[in-house]
Amino acid sequence: MTPPMSTWSPDDPLPHLRSLLAEGRYQEVFDAYPLELGAPAARDPAVALSVATAATRLGALDVGEDLASRAHEAFRERIDDDGRMRSLNLLGAVHFERGALAEAAGHFSQALELSRALKDVKFRARVANNLATVVYLQGWPEEARSLFREALLASQRLGDRRGLADTYHNLGIALRDIGELVEARRAEEQAVRHAEQVGDPALIALTLTGYAETALAEGEMEVSAEALSRAAALAKAAGNALGEAEVERVRAEHALKSGDPTLALTRAEAARTTAEGLGSRQLEGECAAIQSRALAALGRRGEAEACRGHAEQIFQQLGAVHLLARLDQGAS
């Protein structure tokens, strides 16, 4: 068990921080910095990077980027390639959440090169998965599949359940979006199974949300609703506002498919407000697209067109070719 915060040694906080991160206790890490650790330890780039990871997981993207940038600069000055690799990956994650796909791809590509040079198989799997997700959104499905395969093989070889959960989840999204629902369902089931073995509530919530969205695409309304209810509770317990907003987005889709555009609009508006507050441009655009469809169903054509235009503008700015294509097909 991780020692209570009050017993932490300011001289060596990293083991405790990393233990909390592994358990998904991001709020505790975030709250402990820098009050418990003190200024000297807070200047340690490894500590800063740990807290940046927690902040990013909680949706505090500004804090995450600031700390990760500072850590990267310190690691660069020390010629610490391992630290640089980890900082670049986190910066890529921050840019991805903000929808800056080109910047995210650049950071992930640099991190992947370093992971290969360092022969760090576990981290290579993580970065390959992240880069695959970006490449897929940019409209390069075959390149994405190759990266997903690289990530899965590496994680399987190492028995890295967190890596497997993340990769199966992202692969499931890609498969669902191209209509391969049976394979998508299998991938999402694997994602949930591995996430539950890890025990991180935020990760379980993420994978359950993906599973619920695939079930919704298959017309399994009750299965989807049950998974979303569990995901919402877990995201809330983890203090993951971004995760809660993602659940609301899929709940909005569920309401729309159930024939309740009024509820869909309410849920999409709530999720969009959270996304805007957290700076998650992709989620904001996806919510605006759902709003558009709900408003159209309610006969509010002018408002529907405005929301669709907002979503289209965001997707164009992001360079998210795939999301633009889905918008043109009438999906969010």
Side-chain angles (χ1 to χ4, degrees), residues 119-295:
K119 295 182 171 54
D120 188 327
V121 179
K122 183 174 183 178
F123 211 84
R124 190 181 89 194
R126 184 185 307 177
V127 183
N129 172 44
N130 291 339
L131 183 57
T133 304
V134 177
V135 167
Y136 172 72
L137 286 171
Q138 290 178 312
W140 302 95
E142 290 308 312
E143 289 80 353
R145 281 183 182 239
S146 177
L147 287 163
F148 278 134
R149 281 194 295 270
E150 179 179 353
L152 283 174
L153 288 171
S155 293
Q156 286 168 349
R157 189 158 64 246
L158 294 169
D160 177 11
R161 289 191 180 276
R162 181 180 291 277
L164 286 167
D166 276 331
T167 305
Y168 272 122
H169 168 67
N170 290 333
L171 178 60
I173 293 172
L175 291 168
R176 181 204 317 136
D177 285 346
I178 60 175
E180 296 184 17
L181 297 183
V182 173
E183 291 302 314
R185 181 73 168 266
R186 288 174 183 162
E188 293 292 2
E189 287 173 348
Q190 289 288 341
V192 172
R193 182 172 71 86
H194 288 295
E196 288 177 335
Q197 289 291 323
V198 173
D200 177 349
L203 181 62
I204 299 171
L206 176 71
T207 57
L208 278 170
T209 304
Y211 173 79
E213 193 162 8
T214 298
L216 181 60
E218 293 179 305
E220 297 281 352
M221 306 300 285
E222 290 185 10
V223 172
S224 178
E226 182 179 343
L228 286 170
S229 178
R230 188 177 168 213
L234 285 164
K236 184 175 182 178
N240 187 347
L242 201 57
E244 290 185 83
E246 190 67 33
V247 172
E248 279 299 287
R249 177 188 66 79
V250 182
R251 277 180 159 170
E253 284 280 12
H254 191 286
L256 198 55
K257 194 166 186 176
S258 299
D260 191 343
T262 300
L263 178 59
L265 182 60
T266 299
R267 292 195 181 282
E269 286 175 341
R272 177 175 167 181
T273 298
T274 301
E276 289 174 340
L278 295 173
S280 179
R281 293 283 283 165
Q282 180 180 324
L283 181 56
E284 179 188 346
E286 289 177 304
C287 292
I290 299 172
Q291 283 181 277
S292 174
R293 291 160 56 213
L295 287 163

Side-chain angles (χ1 to χ4, degrees), residues 26 56 86-87 96 101 110 174 223 266 272 294-295 297 303 316:
Y26 307 120
T56 302
R86 295 171 190 278
S87 302
F96 177 77
L101 298 187
Q110 290 181 66
V223 172
T266 299
R272 177 175 167 181
L295 287 163
E303 293 170 89
Q316 286 175 341

Side-chain angles (χ1 to χ4, degrees), residues 16-77:
H16 305 296
L17 286 170
R18 287 171 175 167
S19 176
L20 289 174
L21 286 175
E23 294 172 18
R25 294 160 66 181
Y26 307 120
Q27 191 65 52
E28 292 179 50
V29 175
F30 191 59
D31 289 344
Y33 177 90
L35 300 179
E36 288 283 343
L37 305 179
R43 288 194 294 268
D44 182 340
V47 171
L49 188 59
S50 294
V51 181
T53 301
T56 302
R57 291 279 186 174
L58 292 170
L61 301 181
D62 288 343
V63 177
E65 181 178 15
D66 178 57
L67 290 173
S69 295
R70 282 197 250 164
H72 179 259
E73 181 60 24
F75 286 130
R76 188 186 63 78
E77 290 176 355

Side-chain angles (χ1 to χ4, degrees), residues 295-307:
L295 287 163
L298 292 168
R300 295 158 63 177
R301 297 292 175 182
E303 293 170 89
E305 282 301 312
C307 283

